[in-house]
Amino acid sequence: MQTSKINLMKKITLLLTLVTMVTWSTFAGGYQVRLQGQKQTGIGLIGTPFNFGASSIFYNPGALSMMKAKTNFQLGASGILSNVTFQKSATNYQAHTENPLGTPFYFYGARKITDNLAVGVGVYTPFGTTSKWNDDWAGRFLVQNISLKAIFIQPTVSYKINDMISIGAGFVYAMGDVELNKALPYNNNSFVNIKGSTNSIGYNLGVYIKPIEELSIGIDYRSEVLMEMEGGDAVFTVPASLSTTISENNKFSASLPMPANLDVGFAYQITEDFLIAAEINYVFWSVYDSLNFTFEENGELLNSENPRLYENKMIIRLGCQYKLNDKFVIRAGGYYDPSPTNEDYFTPETVSLNTTAFTFGFTYKPMKNLCVNVSYLHTLGSETDNSYDPGNFSGTYKTSAAIPGIGISYHF
Amino acid sequence: MKKKYLLYILVLALFSACEPKIDEFSPSEGNADFTTYLAMGNSLTAGYADGALYISGQTYSYPNILAGQFELAGGGAFTQPMMPTEAGVGVGDLGLRSKLVLGMATDCLGTVSLGPVPFDPAPDQLEYLGYLVTSVAADGPYNNIGVPGIKSFHVLAPGLGLLNPYFGRFAANPATDMLIGEAAKVNPTFFTLWLGNNDVLTYALAGGVIDSITPEPIFSGSMDAIVGALTANGASGAIANVPDITTIPFFTTVPYCGLVLTDEADVAALNYGYAPLNFIINQNGGDTLAFTLGANPFVIADASLPWGVRQIKAGELILLSIPQDSLKCAGWGSMVPIPEQYVLKADQIVAIETATEAYNDKIAELAGTFSLALVDMNSYLKEFETGMIFDGATYSTQFILGGLFSLDGIHLNPRGNAVITNHFIDAINAKYNANLPQVIIQDYPGIQFP
């Protein structure tokens, strides 16, 4: 028992070092990242119809009060290895991103106060994108590199009405950071750096239903979180003779919506050891209509309205789980995640293409109270012709992503 | 557990190397043969920019950029008669000059502002003449035989090299050679031909005071002979037409309504000063001169009027060559009429546009007869009046900030040359079923700001 606690502490230290370099790379679905639990990731990123302990805080707060243990902690992270290749229309020009490793992470802690009432808190990272192109690439006037990240903190309460139904709700406090570089069409090495952070609030509501022993149903709604940034820093690097036209230090305002999600999932226990599950996620992406920048100085020259015209999309997921023995559970899944982007308003800052992906995972239980959960997600490369019409920038994009992940769950 | 982390790191390393693959562009020549490319034309073809012919201007000439793309589809080496210096040599009002660069200049009012200034403020005339006339014929013949200043009929004129040192420097026998003879020496399989600009431009640059517009029959006869000679050995090619020169920054930068009066006393003084003249004009039934607070049309000289003076009308153009200090401090445009050599008047503009249309009809006819790719520069340049966007940057015919033209307001900068190279490529691909890749415009230098 004592050694396992020490091991646990070591792992926490390791994962926290990963957290300090937390960035994401886009691998699907706009800038949303659903890698908020290793068990769920392994089973096709399905979460609502499960009672996987404290990670229900993100996937379905309704299921939290159904957890079997009295206290549960979960901690984990994934490593997103994703890259994009771009072939510019009508040219022999190709570019590749040099994306850094993306490391979304989560931490959940939950405790049952009574048999029917559970409380918990989650810290997780449901949105983010990183695209790092070369500074002198052909799309440099649109973006050179961007890093967008959000950390959500969610205190949660869940109540079990009876053995068949439980409900839950969480309050979301969100912190967001954005940094963006883009080149300016003057001498080489003229560029603007935009940087800012903000916070916002939202909520997460869920219902978990178990009409019969073999079947479970989950419904979850996570609200939109609108990140509004005021007074962010914009630093313009331009030739000296233009410094009277474009001042070096400026402030900007912009807002970016993190869309609402409605998830409905089913899980069915075919045998005692074998389970299948399906889920749909409806993502309300249409809130991302335009990305507008307003500058404090030189606004007439610098202010911009940049259409994005995202569309609402539905993701379909399938998965299964098999319990090999008391120590091993294996999982597999797959999903189709259609891109919310508009083909005529597609920018290289968020290269989101229609994605088909497969997932695998397992749980290893070295001792009674501890689970080690490992997942692996692989997207099938899709190739799409897209254009950003307002900038007359078009070409073929292809992405690939491989995402290994590991997490631990400790309960008592 | 250590093993698991090792595995984790191994997997990371494995996938970080993986990069999605997209089929690469495959260039092809189609029905054209780019083995030996010849570029014939005027200053635009030669790579003249910023008021001079200089090394990097030539390096970024559209034929040189185009030859680089031809090379991907079977094209061979492409040579140009390079100038000896980066300062270059241009022909200005006061003799030979260097190229222009963007710099800070102090005007007669003591105001310091950003504008074109000479790279070499005091060019040694003998030295510059030496650069201009030193023969490079020994390394010829050249693939780029663009000659600054030439008109259509000059191509067929024996001894052009004596009148035009830009040809003389690469002609084997300047006193007798015709420019068209250089084409025969190169014996191209593919050519580009862009001529006719100077047939109207030389007249326009002088405000119509000297020189004259080439009559259409002379233009047409010359072009028939030139295209006939270029295609004699079965070469295919592309022919570009003449842009509407009155849309280039040289003619559009100084506003006609640029006499801004902010003081009632100045308004009164001007109206009082022109009162006697207005009395005469009124008696003869002409347009009187009137001044109000705010923007007023400049006062210009007009020899066609008995009293020789009027205010400029909307649509008439003031040339970029006008001495700015004379406008600001010597009363030009108000008390002193702007001399005719700095103004294009309505009838002159009509004459230029009529001639340009006639030339372009002839060029279209030649493209049809000889089955050449027609590069419609006239329509294309018009699209830039309101601005065209490429890869997120806007390009327009605006002076300096428009990003297309060089500091002389007439010739293109390297990015402008890249833009028109892509227009050539589109026309060639369409005509010859070729697949030449376009160039990335912003990879070429724009105007350098200090």
Coordinates of all heavy atoms in Angstrom, one line a residue, chain A residues 96-128:
Chain A
H96 N 4.9 21.5 -44.7 CA 4.6 20.6 -43.6 C 4.6 21.4 -42.3 O 5.5 22.2 -42.1 CB 5.6 19.5 -43.5 CG 5.9 18.8 -44.8 ND1 5.0 17.8 -45.4 CD2 6.8 19.0 -45.8 CE1 5.5 17.5 -46.5 NE2 6.6 18.1 -46.8
T97 N 3.7 21.1 -41.5 CA 3.7 21.7 -40.1 C 4.8 21.0 -39.3 O 5.2 19.9 -39.6 CB 2.4 21.5 -39.4 OG1 2.1 20.1 -39.4 CG2 1.3 22.3 -40.0
E98 N 5.3 21.8 -38.4 CA 6.3 21.2 -37.4 C 5.6 21.3 -36.0 O 6.1 22.0 -35.2 CB 7.6 22.1 -37.4 CG 8.3 22.2 -38.8 CD 9.0 20.9 -39.1 OE1 9.2 20.1 -38.2 OE2 9.3 20.7 -40.3
N99 N 4.5 20.7 -35.9 CA 3.7 20.8 -34.7 C 4.5 20.2 -33.5 O 5.0 19.1 -33.6 CB 2.4 20.1 -34.8 CG 1.5 20.9 -35.8 OD1 1.7 22.0 -36.1 ND2 0.5 20.2 -36.3
P100 N 4.5 20.9 -32.4 CA 5.0 20.3 -31.2 C 4.1 19.2 -30.7 O 2.9 19.1 -31.1 CB 5.1 21.5 -30.2 CG 4.0 22.4 -30.7 CD 3.9 22.2 -32.2
L101 N 4.6 18.4 -29.8 CA 3.7 17.4 -29.2 C 2.6 18.0 -28.3 O 2.9 18.9 -27.5 CB 4.6 16.5 -28.2 CG 3.9 15.5 -27.4 CD1 3.4 14.3 -28.2 CD2 4.8 15.0 -26.2
G102 N 1.4 17.6 -28.6 CA 0.3 18.2 -27.9 C 0.0 17.3 -26.7 O 0.1 16.0 -26.8
T103 N -0.3 17.8 -25.5 CA -0.4 17.0 -24.3 C -1.7 17.4 -23.5 O -1.6 18.0 -22.4 CB 0.8 17.1 -23.4 OG1 1.0 18.5 -23.2 CG2 2.0 16.5 -24.0
P104 N -2.9 17.1 -24.0 CA -4.1 17.3 -23.2 C -4.0 16.4 -21.9 O -3.5 15.3 -22.0 CB -5.2 17.0 -24.1 CG -4.7 16.1 -25.1 CD -3.2 16.5 -25.3
F105 N -4.5 16.9 -20.8 CA -4.4 16.1 -19.6 C -5.7 16.3 -18.8 O -6.6 17.1 -19.1 CB -3.3 16.6 -18.7 CG -3.5 18.0 -18.2 CD1 -4.1 18.2 -16.9 CD2 -3.2 19.1 -18.9 CE1 -4.3 19.5 -16.4 CE2 -3.4 20.4 -18.5 CZ -4.0 20.6 -17.2
Y106 N -5.9 15.5 -17.8 CA -7.0 15.6 -16.9 C -6.7 15.2 -15.5 O -5.8 14.4 -15.3 CB -8.2 14.8 -17.5 CG -7.9 13.4 -17.6 CD1 -8.1 12.5 -16.5 CD2 -7.5 12.8 -18.8 CE1 -7.7 11.1 -16.6 CE2 -7.1 11.5 -18.9 CZ -7.3 10.6 -17.8 OH -7.0 9.3 -17.9
F107 N -7.4 15.7 -14.6 CA -7.4 15.2 -13.2 C -8.8 15.3 -12.7 O -9.5 16.3 -12.8 CB -6.5 16.1 -12.4 CG -6.7 15.8 -10.9 CD1 -6.1 14.7 -10.3 CD2 -7.5 16.6 -10.1 CE1 -6.3 14.4 -9.0 CE2 -7.7 16.3 -8.8 CZ -7.1 15.2 -8.2
Y108 N -9.2 14.2 -12.1 CA -10.6 14.2 -11.5 C -10.5 13.6 -10.1 O -9.7 12.6 -9.9 CB -11.6 13.3 -12.3 CG -11.7 13.6 -13.7 CD1 -11.0 12.8 -14.7 CD2 -12.4 14.7 -14.2 CE1 -11.2 13.1 -16.0 CE2 -12.5 15.0 -15.5 CZ -11.9 14.2 -16.4 OH -12.0 14.4 -17.8
G109 N -11.2 14.1 -9.2 CA -11.4 13.6 -7.8 C -12.8 13.6 -7.5 O -13.5 14.6 -7.7
A110 N -13.3 12.5 -6.9 CA -14.7 12.4 -6.6 C -14.9 11.6 -5.3 O -14.2 10.6 -5.1 CB -15.6 11.8 -7.7
R111 N -16.0 11.9 -4.6 CA -16.2 11.2 -3.3 C -17.7 11.1 -3.1 O -18.5 12.0 -3.4 CB -15.6 11.9 -2.2 CG -15.7 11.1 -0.9 CD -14.9 11.8 0.2 NE -15.2 11.2 1.5 CZ -14.6 10.1 2.0 NH1 -13.7 9.4 1.2 NH2 -14.9 9.6 3.1
K112 N -18.2 9.9 -2.7 CA -19.6 9.8 -2.4 C -19.8 10.2 -0.9 O -19.2 9.7 0.0 CB -19.9 8.3 -2.5 CG -20.4 7.9 -3.9 CD -20.9 6.5 -3.9 CE -22.0 6.3 -4.8 NZ -22.2 4.8 -5.0
I113 N -20.6 11.2 -0.7 CA -20.9 11.7 0.6 C -22.0 10.8 1.3 O -21.8 10.5 2.5 CB -21.4 13.2 0.5 CG1 -20.2 14.0 0.0 CG2 -21.8 13.7 1.9 CD1 -20.6 15.4 -0.3
T114 N -23.0 10.5 0.5 CA -23.9 9.5 1.0 C -24.0 8.4 -0.1 O -23.4 8.5 -1.1 CB -25.3 10.1 1.3 OG1 -25.9 10.4 0.0 CG2 -25.3 11.4 2.1
D115 N -24.9 7.5 0.1 CA -25.1 6.4 -0.9 C -25.6 7.1 -2.2 O -25.3 6.5 -3.3 CB -26.0 5.4 -0.4 CG -25.3 4.3 0.4 OD1 -24.1 4.4 0.4 OD2 -26.0 3.4 1.0
N116 N -26.3 8.1 -2.1 CA -27.0 8.7 -3.2 C -26.3 10.0 -3.8 O -26.7 10.4 -4.8 CB -28.5 9.0 -2.9 CG -29.3 7.8 -2.8 OD1 -28.8 6.7 -3.1 ND2 -30.5 7.9 -2.4
L117 N -25.4 10.6 -3.0 CA -24.9 11.9 -3.4 C -23.4 11.8 -3.5 O -22.7 11.3 -2.6 CB -25.3 12.9 -2.3 CG -24.9 14.4 -2.6 CD1 -25.7 14.9 -3.7 CD2 -25.1 15.2 -1.3
A118 N -22.9 12.3 -4.7 CA -21.5 12.3 -4.9 C -21.1 13.7 -5.3 O -21.8 14.5 -6.0 CB -21.1 11.4 -6.0
V119 N -19.9 14.1 -4.9 CA -19.3 15.4 -5.3 C -18.0 15.2 -5.8 O -17.3 14.2 -5.5 CB -19.3 16.5 -4.1 CG1 -20.7 16.8 -3.7 CG2 -18.4 15.9 -3.0
G120 N -17.5 16.1 -6.7 CA -16.2 15.9 -7.3 C -15.7 17.2 -8.0 O -16.5 18.2 -8.1
V121 N -14.5 17.2 -8.4 CA -14.0 18.3 -9.1 C -13.1 17.7 -10.3 O -12.4 16.7 -10.1 CB -13.2 19.3 -8.2 CG1 -12.0 18.7 -7.6 CG2 -12.9 20.6 -9.0
G122 N -13.2 18.4 -11.4 CA -12.3 17.9 -12.5 C -11.6 19.1 -13.1 O -12.0 20.3 -13.1
V123 N -10.3 18.8 -13.5 CA -9.5 19.8 -14.2 C -9.2 19.1 -15.6 O -8.6 18.1 -15.6 CB -8.3 20.2 -13.5 CG1 -7.4 21.2 -14.3 CG2 -8.6 20.7 -12.1
Y124 N -9.6 19.7 -16.7 CA -9.4 19.0 -17.9 C -9.3 20.1 -19.1 O -9.4 21.3 -18.8 CB -10.5 18.0 -18.2 CG -11.9 18.6 -18.2 CD1 -12.5 19.1 -19.3 CD2 -12.7 18.7 -17.0 CE1 -13.8 19.7 -19.3 CE2 -13.9 19.3 -17.0 CZ -14.5 19.8 -18.2 OH -15.7 20.3 -18.1
T125 N -9.0 19.6 -20.2 CA -8.6 20.5 -21.3 C -9.3 20.1 -22.6 O -8.8 19.5 -23.5 CB -7.1 20.3 -21.6 OG1 -6.8 18.9 -21.8 CG2 -6.2 20.7 -20.4
P126 N -10.6 20.6 -22.7 CA -11.4 20.1 -23.8 C -11.2 20.9 -25.1 O -11.8 20.5 -26.1 CB -12.8 20.3 -23.3 CG -12.7 21.5 -22.4 CD -11.3 21.5 -21.8
F127 N -10.5 22.0 -25.1 CA -10.3 22.7 -26.4 C -8.8 23.1 -26.5 O -8.2 23.5 -25.5 CB -11.2 24.0 -26.4 CG -12.6 23.7 -26.5 CD1 -13.4 23.6 -25.3 CD2 -13.2 23.4 -27.7 CE1 -14.8 23.3 -25.4 CE2 -14.6 23.1 -27.8 CZ -15.4 23.1 -26.6
G128 N -8.4 23.2 -27.8 CA -7.0 23.6 -28.0 C -6.6 23.3 -29.5 O -7.2 22.4 -30.1

